Amino acid sequence: IGYRCRMPPTSFDEDLAREFTADAGEPFADPEGALLPPVLHEAAASWERPAGLLTETLAAGAELCVVHLAGAPRVASCDIVCEAADAAVKAAATALASAMHLIADHAEKFDDGAFLWELIWPRSEEGQPVVSPTGRYGVKLWEHGAWRLVTIDDRVPLDRDGKCLLPLSGNRLELWPLLLSKALLKLSSGGQGGRGEHELALHRLTGWMPAVAPVLPTVPAATTWSLVASMLARADTIVGLTLPPSGSEDSDALLEEKGLIRPAMLTVCDAREVEGRRYMRLRSRYASWRGPFCDVDETSWTPALASSLGWSRMQRLRMRAAGQTLLDFWVDEASLLSLFGAVHMLHRPAASTATSVTELDRQKGAEQVRLLVLPASDEAGGSSTRVQMCVQAPGAQEVGFSLSRFEWSSCTAPAPLLSLVVRDVWTAELDLREGIYHVEFFLPAEASKGPLLNNETTSEASVGASNGMRGGSIAAAGDGEAELNSAEAESVANGSAEATEATVEAEEADAPPLSCSLFVSHAQPVQLGEVRDVLRDALSVHSQTVSGTTKEVPPLSWAVALAVTLKPKASGTMCVTIRPPGSLPASCCRLHAVDDATGESTRVVGFCTGPVACSDASGVTLLLDVKAPAGKTPLSAGEWHADIVSDVEVEISAAELGEASLPLEQYSPNTDYRLFRSTLSSSASCSAVVHVACEGFPSAKLTLRQLRVDAEPAEAGLDRATSVIRAVTGVGCVTMHGLLPDGAPGGALLECVVDRHCAALLELPNRPVQGLVDAPPTAADEEAGEPGEDGAETKPARGTTDLSWRLLAVAPGDVTVEKDAAFYQSLDALKSTWEAAEAGRASRAKSMREAFLAHSRDDAQPASSAAAPVRRRPLSESQSARVLSAEDWEAAAAGTSEERVEAHKKVCEAAAALRAQLLERSSAASLAELAAAKEGEVRLREASARSSSHCDGLVASLLPAACTAQEA
């Protein structure tokens, strides 16, 4: 656990006694026994064992002991002293010693085996700690919510004058303050700036919950005093006071004048109010109070006040005159607020406790989640319950902690009730409602990126980089002084920076995970643990996780990243959360839940389904499809996870995906603007996904339909009667989820078409255009020369298309896609029937198309072209009357709905008359009529574009008729 402690044996008394009494042989040297916080590390000059420090004393017949009791089991014979002369070292030792004195002042409040020297092994048969012959000791400390064992040796750090840097007993033969200090500092030296003072030391020595309340000028005086008085009234709380951190020289001088020493902690023994004034009795071995209400203050003390406070001042003066040391004294409220900095409270944990320890990976920075179940309040009618919490993190790095309400069927996380960053220990008493709480540990963004450098070593590379960057040049003293220019200095700095970065990365890779813990205590039993365990035990809710790996997706490609099948064993509710790999951005993903029985697909917003009703009659398949964005970088493969929480048992599995596709194919012009009609089949029941993407026309509006065969054809050459089951639309591509290919004979029948309106705007042909290739060159072509000659640009002929399409089907298991042979055979049979009924029909239609396309090509030539005009036979008056004029098109575009209907009828009549007449005339003579129809269509588009208010209705009513005329 953490850096330097381990879980002790189940029985401390028996197993640990056996472990440490078996020591014999060479003196024990702890491999990590020389680790100290930076202040002590700098001052340490040598190490020595107690026997080496007390050679003369031991030679006179004295013996070392762990503790020398003064009659009572928990009363030591001497106080704790600090020998070091260095101010910083003395302050660190004083902080540790005063924390031990605070515990010693309340010895009766601690359980057996949990008081200072009772934490030390080995022990005698009577249960008292004894000296280890090898110098190997075990100290029981509270770490991460449980008593744990820290193994140390008895080596003592000394300064240059041979003074001990750690707290020692006034009886130099006693070892217990030294051993406790070494164990505390060993845990506190796990990283940068480890500390072992006050609340952290108290927490580890007792297992109680520390809390701190600052004494501030902005806080009302009555509030601070009331807090201390209420804490003293509780039998399960210890209260202490500390001075403010080091400030100005004036404040330091004032504290010295009053006889107070920083950073010692003072014990608060009593708090009373007399005649409207408030007083506190304090106790400390490191203070000699000379402020108001000291024993020699004749002005402040009165006989009435001394009697009210139970203070025998005259007797105390006689004791002082006799040379006795008195440790307690009284202060008034004014001195409390002006001289002291914080109130420290130490709370005994409640009867019921729970602990959860987790580890955070420094590299990944992934969060760790736990669930906490709080019971109802034990007070009648209480709406909340009081709970004590202690969060412990390593001192080397900050760890984030958050607490929020938990609803297992909700896909949105509620706002956290508590969110903070912890270093070392954080404790609090909270009033929370009963229920389940979501607990999360995480690495803050700054902490996860910060370097983890050892204090004991300094990177020479980093120093060099700093000097190089700061100076810009480096000069070498001596004959022939040399300089590095700024470019060379920058190169040196960059190389040093790279070396520093490599060093940091190596240290991060070798560093162990960060241990953090949550300790909870409550009057009623609480439950704290893994999400799966708590849900199962507290709510009878099942929690499962399945994982898999996505494949790489090239740019602008579509794929199904994952498929998860869920088969409930009973009716209930479930909630699924997908955790995709970091390589898949949310903007490129879509999650669908498909009912395996009906094929109904539901789009999921985000990656959590929320509560979904389920039954054993049908399962659910979750499909996550992705579309890679444009660029050169593909979406890389990664590991995904799916978390399923349900109140019924659910069989879950990651499905193996099968793929089938039709190769890239060119659009074949047809009157329905159909791209394909195909069948999708599978060997097993599954929910398939079909994706169609077109190339060349990314703005084409596509409609993908699933068809149902209502009746077989009555005779050969006819298509089957079909109806649309469902349809989906898309621009450039279209995807349909939830197809059930095994539900119909031959599989699912699919058809994809281009929207008619969109096809007209894109000038997508609905007749074959291959005749244009064989058409003879026009006069304009001959005069313009070969394509590309003299920089002449060639333009594609109107009516051609580069539209191509691709179909991809994905489903769990095997899947097959092929064209609908019956449909295309019926088309061929229909053409053969027409040709048999009217011989030469196909050749005449082909010649008319070629003539029309040639005329369109003439219209596309630039105005500067010297092509000879084409001679056409004029229309008769009766024929001209049947074709709408330009004024008629303009009027139709701006007219009312009734006028548009009338115009529609006229166009239909004109188109029918043209078709009848053009069949009797040659293709050369019909160019004028076709040109008029084409011109009308163009004018209609221009007019409809200018009329935005009724554009859709106008196009819907007039465009089909115009297209019919063009087809003729």
Side-chain angles (χ1 to χ4, degrees):
I1 302 295
Y3 276 87
R4 299 174 175 91
C5 61
R6 62 183 174 88
M7 205 55 191
T10 306
S11 173
F12 277 109
D13 297 333
E14 298 178 3
D15 296 342
L16 286 183
R18 188 181 308 111
E19 177 180 350
F20 284 95
T21 54
D23 285 347
E26 296 294 329
F28 172 70
D30 183 9
E32 296 174 331
L35 290 178
L36 293 172
V39 172
L40 301 183
H41 177 75
E42 294 174 2
S46 62
W47 292 79
E48 188 63 73
R49 296 187 184 268
L53 294 175
L54 304 172
T55 305
E56 297 180 359
T57 305
L58 296 177
E63 293 183 358
L64 290 173
C65 63
V66 175
V67 60
H68 179 70
L69 300 178
R74 289 188 172 182
V75 179
S77 59
C78 294
D79 292 334
I80 306 173
V81 297
C82 306
E83 293 184 341
D86 183 83
V89 174
K90 194 175 186 65
T94 301
L96 282 176
S98 63
M100 297 179 191
H101 277 303
L102 180 67
I103 298 171
D105 290 338
H106 301 85
E108 73 283 354
K109 294 189 175 183
F110 295 95
D111 299 331
D112 292 340
F115 176 76
L116 294 178
W117 50 79
E118 297 175 3
L119 305 173
I120 300 174
W121 271 266
R123 292 182 180 180
S124 64
E125 294 180 357
E126 292 77 17
Q128 296 299 324
V130 296
V131 176
S132 170
T134 62
R136 178 174 178 263
Y137 293 89
V139 179
K140 183 177 70 171
L141 294 180
W142 187 270
E143 182 78 353
H144 290 301
W147 289 112
R148 307 186 190 276
L149 182 68
V150 181
T151 301
I152 59 171
D153 59 28
D154 60 355
R155 291 180 297 168
V156 180
L158 306 178
D159 62 11
R160 292 178 178 83
D161 299 327
K163 301 295 184 181
C164 180
L165 302 180
L166 301 182
L168 291 174
S169 172
N171 179 0
R172 297 292 298 270
L173 296 173
E174 280 190 327
L175 301 180
W176 70 269
L178 168 67
L179 299 178
L180 291 180
S181 299
K182 284 210 67 175
L184 288 171
L185 292 176
K186 182 176 180 179
L187 291 187
S188 298
S189 301
Q192 291 179 326
R195 61 193 183 99
E197 41 180 66
H198 297 154
E199 63 270 13
L200 187 56
L202 291 171
H203 177 66
R204 285 172 167 163
L205 288 172
T206 63
W208 288 26
M209 314 276 279
V212 181
V215 178
L216 301 173
T218 55
V219 178
T223 302
T224 302
W225 190 89
S226 299
L227 172 66
V228 175
S230 62
M231 292 296 104
L232 289 175
R234 296 170 56 172
D236 58 353
T237 301
I238 297 174
V239 184
L241 286 177
T242 55
L243 302 173
S246 180
S248 62
E249 294 182 359
D250 295 339
S251 64
D252 294 343
L254 177 61
L255 292 177
E256 184 177 357
E257 178 186 344
K258 301 298 182 183
L260 299 176
I261 299 177
R262 187 187 286 115
M265 177 180 287
L266 293 79
T267 303
V268 180
C269 302
D270 196 1
R272 298 187 185 184
E273 185 173 358
V274 178
E275 296 180 355
R277 299 190 65 181
R278 303 182 179 97
Y279 306 91
M280 286 188 186
R281 185 165 64 92
L282 308 180
R283 178 182 176 88
S284 175
R285 293 163 177 80
Y286 305 99
S288 178
W289 179 244
R290 294 186 293 269
F293 297 95
C294 65
D295 288 337
V296 297
D297 184 9
E298 299 287 346
T299 304
S300 301
W301 282 109
T302 64
L305 177 61
S307 176
S308 299
L309 297 179
W311 197 245
S312 301
R313 192 172 68 89
M314 299 307 297
Q315 182 181 356
R316 291 174 59 86
L317 290 175
R318 289 191 293 269
M319 296 171 64
R320 284 182 180 274
Q324 295 187 25
T325 302
L326 303 178
L327 303 179
D328 54 346
F329 55 90
W330 286 91
V331 297
D332 60 350
E333 188 177 42
S335 299
L336 170 68
L337 299 178
S338 61
L339 298 177
F340 294 92
V343 178
H344 293 257
M345 295 155 284
L346 199 61
H347 303 285
R348 178 195 293 271
S352 178
T353 62
T355 302
S356 178
V357 182
T358 185
E359 292 184 340
L360 295 177
D361 193 309
R362 299 173 187 265
Q363 298 293 324
K364 298 180 180 179
E367 66 278 358
Q368 294 290 334
V369 177
R370 298 292 186 268
L371 289 185
L372 170 65
V373 182
L374 294 181
S377 173
D378 52 358
E379 299 179 3
S383 59
S384 62
T385 180
R386 175 157 294 188
V387 59
Q388 294 175 326
M389 284 190 180
C390 176
V391 179
Q392 186 170 355
Q397 188 164 337
E398 294 178 338
V399 170
F401 171 79
S402 68
L403 179 73
S404 58
R405 295 283 293 184
F406 176 76
E407 295 291 341
W408 71 267
S409 61
S410 175
C411 59
T412 57
L417 303 174
L418 181 68
S419 182
L420 60 140
V421 176
V422 179
R423 171 170 286 194
D424 289 329
V425 172
W426 172 88
T427 61
E429 282 191 346
L430 305 175
D431 289 331
L432 300 174
R433 296 180 180 273
E434 63 173 306
I436 304 180
Y437 290 84
H438 180 275
V439 176
E440 182 177 354
F441 291 94
F442 58 91
L443 285 179
E446 296 79 6
S448 62
K449 298 177 182 178
L452 300 172
L453 295 176
N454 193 331
N455 281 343
E456 301 179 21
T457 59
T458 303
S459 173
E460 295 180 0
S462 63
V463 174
S466 176
N467 293 337
M469 294 297 291
R470 181 171 59 250
S473 62
I474 303 176
D479 297 337
E481 183 178 12
E483 283 192 358
L484 295 179
N485 57 32
S486 59
E488 293 173 338
E490 182 177 358
S491 176
V492 172
N494 291 339
S496 302
E498 292 177 0
T500 304
E501 183 177 355
T503 303
V504 171
E505 290 179 355
E507 291 180 357
E508 290 180 346
D510 296 337
L514 297 175
S515 296
C516 47
S517 63
L518 172 63
F519 174 74
V520 180
S521 68
H522 190 267
Q524 303 294 328
V526 296
Q527 188 173 358
L528 174 65
E530 299 279 352
V531 175
R532 181 177 304 177
D533 299 336
V534 173
L535 288 177
R536 181 189 64 243
D537 299 338
L539 298 178
S540 298
V541 172
H542 304 272
S543 176
Q544 303 179 71
T545 299
V546 65
S547 60
T549 304
T550 63
K551 65 179 182 180
E552 184 179 275
V553 183
L556 292 178
S557 298
W558 175 91
V560 176
L562 62 93
V564 179
T565 58
L566 309 169
K567 297 186 181 299
K569 296 184 178 180
S571 298
T573 304
M574 62 181 176
C575 178
V576 185
T577 302
I578 301 295
R579 290 181 284 140
S583 58
L584 294 184
S587 58
C588 300
C589 303
R590 295 182 303 180
L591 181 63
H592 288 79
V594 181
D595 190 309
D596 292 340
T598 63
E600 181 180 355
S601 174
T602 303
R603 173 72 184 276
V604 177
V605 179
F607 295 112
C608 180
T609 63
V612 177
C614 59
S615 66
D616 56 352
S618 65
V620 176
T621 299
L622 294 179
L623 299 167
L624 182 71
D625 59 332
V626 298
K627 180 69 176 290
K632 298 181 179 180
T633 305
L635 298 179
S636 58
E639 187 177 8
W640 59 267
H641 303 271
D643 302 321
I644 297 91
V645 183
S646 60
D647 54 7
V648 296
E649 292 188 18
V650 178
E651 181 181 344
I652 176 174
S653 62
E656 293 291 336
L657 296 175
E659 291 187 359
S661 62
L662 293 179
L664 185 67
E665 188 170 335
Q666 198 80 8
Y667 163 71
S668 178
N670 58 88
T671 56
D672 296 326
Y673 300 105
R674 182 188 305 102
L675 297 183
F676 65 84
R677 182 182 287 188
S678 62
T679 59
L680 175 69
S681 57
S682 175
S683 59
S685 176
C686 61
S687 299
V689 186
V690 173
H691 180 80
V692 180
C694 65
E695 299 180 8
F697 285 82
S699 60
K701 183 179 180 181
L702 306 180
T703 301
L704 181 62
R705 306 166 180 161
Q706 182 181 4
L707 305 178
R708 177 178 53 240
V709 177
D710 297 326
E712 294 296 329
E715 56 183 278
L718 298 180
D719 188 18
R720 297 162 293 181
T722 60
S723 58
V724 178
I725 299 177
R726 59 174 172 161
V728 292
T729 60
V731 177
C733 61
V734 61
T735 306
M736 179 178 290
H737 296 76
L739 287 167
L740 303 176
D742 64 326
L749 188 60
L750 301 174
E751 182 181 64
C752 186
V753 298
V754 181
D755 180 74
R756 282 186 171 274
H757 184 196
C758 180
L761 294 177
L762 297 175
E763 297 187 358
L764 193 65
N766 57 6
R767 285 292 187 270
V769 297
Q770 60 269 25
L772 183 63
V773 179
D774 300 328
T778 61
D781 294 334
E782 294 176 356
E783 192 163 313
E786 293 295 329
E789 183 179 342
D790 298 330
E793 296 183 358
T794 60
K795 296 184 178 181
R798 300 177 66 180
T800 63
T801 177
D802 294 328
L803 175 65
S804 56
W805 55 270
R806 187 191 307 272
L807 181 146
L808 176 63
V810 181
D814 298 330
V815 63
T816 304
V817 175
E818 55 187 8
K819 287 191 174 182
D820 184 13
F823 171 73
Y824 290 101
Q825 290 174 2
S826 65
L827 289 181
D828 295 339
L830 181 61
K831 293 178 182 179
S832 301
T833 304
W834 284 348
E835 186 67 22
E838 186 177 349
R841 174 191 178 99
S843 60
R844 289 195 303 272
K846 179 179 180 181
S847 62
M848 294 173 66
R849 285 195 302 273
E850 292 175 350
F852 171 72
L853 293 174
H855 173 68
S856 300
R857 191 171 184 179
D858 292 342
D859 292 343
Q861 295 297 328
S864 59
S865 175
V870 179
R871 301 184 63 183
R872 303 182 180 89
R873 185 168 57 183
L875 295 174
S876 61
E877 293 183 2
S878 59
Q879 294 169 344
S880 301
R882 294 190 180 95
V883 180
L884 290 180
S885 62
E887 291 75 9
D888 295 331
W889 291 102
E890 295 289 348
T896 62
S897 59
E898 291 80 3
E899 293 173 345
R900 292 199 298 273
V901 172
E902 186 63 27
H904 169 65
K905 293 180 179 179
K906 291 183 180 180
V907 171
C908 291
E909 294 174 358
L914 280 175
R915 282 197 299 271
Q917 294 178 13
L918 292 177
L919 288 175
E920 302 175 356
R921 299 171 61 178
S922 66
S923 59
S926 64
L927 291 178
E929 289 84 344
L930 292 174
K934 185 68 176 178
E935 182 181 1
E937 179 187 359
V938 172
R939 288 181 176 276
L940 174 60
R941 291 177 182 166
E942 294 174 352
S944 62
R946 293 192 300 268
S947 178
S948 60
S949 60
H950 50 267
C951 174
D952 293 339
L954 181 64
V955 171
S957 59
L958 298 183
L959 188 58
C963 292
T964 303
Q966 177 187 350
E967 293 167 7

